[in-house]
Amino acid sequence: MPAPILTATGLAKSYPTPSGDLAVLREVDLQVTAGESVSIRGESGSGKTTLLYCLAGLEPVDRGELHWDGHNVTALNVGARARIRAKILGFVFQSYHLTPELDALENVLLARRLAGRVRPEDESRARELLARVGLGGRLRHVPGKLSGGEAQRVAVARALLNRPRLLLADEPTGNLDERTAKEVINLLLRLCAEENTALVLVTHHAGFAALTRRALRLEQGVLASAPQS
Ligand SMILES: Nc1ncnc2c1ncn2[C@@H]1O[C@H](COP(=O)(O)OP(=O)(O)OP(=O)(O)O)[C@@H](O)[C@H]1O
Ligand SMILES: [Mg+2]
């Protein structure tokens, strides 16, 4: 049995609202082992994005414990958490979140650049990933000159630059047509398998959810296994 790369136990999260606290996550338990793929479906507003942000340590939880690769995330200070997150985690957003004035290659390298150092091996890794997502010929395109599917493929390459152990993807194909969406999902699954990166994929699409090893549903603030449909 591979070691868990992510363990969440009893996560609870509510948002304060003028009419009182809105409980979104009530009691979330999730364990993801190295290299495993898991999908999460759930109605709009059920808390999928909230859950991914909590799992990424980007949103504080009210209760519960979170471990990344054995690190107790809730016990870490902000700096240590950011350092370990940068090493272990990748994130793919629904709306790409690319920097519009930077070209594809610079977008993939941005986190390195902000960390102050782009080593030659970072640049060759970025070029290799862009080639693997089929964009070897688009290195110098800015996001505005890429199609939606191409932009999301740049975001996938960016998320994988640091060889994360865990990739969290929030509706990564929500803005794409069916055929392009399928290409991006297959690419995500293939790259994660090749790199032994665990994947937590939030998707509305039953067909895509069925492609992961385990399918879960978020309902009433709790994660449960979903029948494959
Ligand atoms: N910062 C916030 N403050 C207050 N309420 C919030 C906040 N962020 C999200 N919510 C509420 O929490 C609930 C869950 O939101 P979330 O974005 O996690 O849902 P989701 O499952 O990702 O939905 P979708 O499928 O539409 O993306 C929603 O009812 C939303 O209105
Ligand atoms: Mg969402």
Side-chain angles (χ1 to χ4, degrees):
M1 181 81 177
I5 186 70
L6 173 86
T7 310
T9 319
L11 291 192
K13 168 79 185 171
S14 55
Y15 292 113
T17 71
S19 49
D21 281 357
L22 174 70
V24 177
L25 308 178
R26 293 171 192 274
E27 183 82 36
V28 168
D29 295 317
L30 175 63
Q31 184 158 312
V32 182
T33 55
E36 189 184 20
S37 61
V38 177
S39 59
I40 298 177
R41 291 170 70 203
E43 311 242 300
S44 179
S46 59
K48 303 179 299 298
T49 295
T50 301
L51 174 59
L52 283 196
Y53 274 70
C54 289
L55 295 178
L58 296 169
E59 187 69 68
V61 294
D62 305 333
R63 221 166 357 98
E65 277 204 22
L66 179 64
H67 287 83
W68 296 330
D69 202 17
H71 299 277
N72 183 352
V73 179
T74 22
L76 296 171
N77 65 36
V78 174
R81 185 183 297 192
R83 217 167 31 250
I84 297 174
R85 181 192 301 114
K87 230 174 100 188
I88 294 180
L89 269 185
F91 208 105
V92 180
F93 301 87
Q94 172 169 353
S95 46
Y96 324 139
H97 284 213
L98 297 174
T99 302
E101 61 273 19
L102 297 181
D103 66 30
L105 183 62
E106 289 162 345
N107 261 287
V108 174
L109 286 167
L110 181 61
R112 279 278 177 219
R113 179 105 39 222
L114 293 176
R117 198 157 66 109
V118 179
R119 300 164 303 182
E121 59 266 37
D122 297 325
E123 179 157 345
S124 43
R125 165 89 173 152
R127 286 175 180 275
E128 177 222 305
L129 280 168
L130 283 165
R132 279 162 76 192
V133 300
L135 294 177
R138 297 286 187 280
L139 300 184
R140 295 300 174 200
H141 275 52
V142 292
K145 295 193 173 168
L146 294 169
S147 71
E150 288 172 344
Q152 193 56 297
R153 284 186 274 152
V154 173
V156 168
R158 177 185 58 184
L160 288 171
L161 183 74
N162 278 352
R163 302 178 199 277
R165 310 280 318 279
L166 175 66
L167 192 69
L168 303 174
D170 188 9
E171 290 282 5
T173 58
N175 292 329
L176 305 176
D177 64 62
E178 177 82 13
R179 200 178 124 253
T180 313
K182 195 160 179 211
E183 280 171 16
V184 169
I185 293 291
N186 283 332
L187 189 73
L188 256 180
L189 288 165
R190 181 166 57 76
L191 287 179
C192 285
E194 285 170 7
E195 306 239 325
N196 199 34
T197 293
L199 173 67
V200 176
L201 171 69
V202 162
T203 178
H204 275 112
H205 195 294
F208 298 160
L211 298 173
T212 58
R213 195 183 307 167
R214 212 144 50 90
L216 303 175
R217 263 195 89 76
L218 182 60
E219 222 163 348
Q220 313 276 351
V222 174
L223 271 182
S225 50
Q228 298 276 14
S229 52

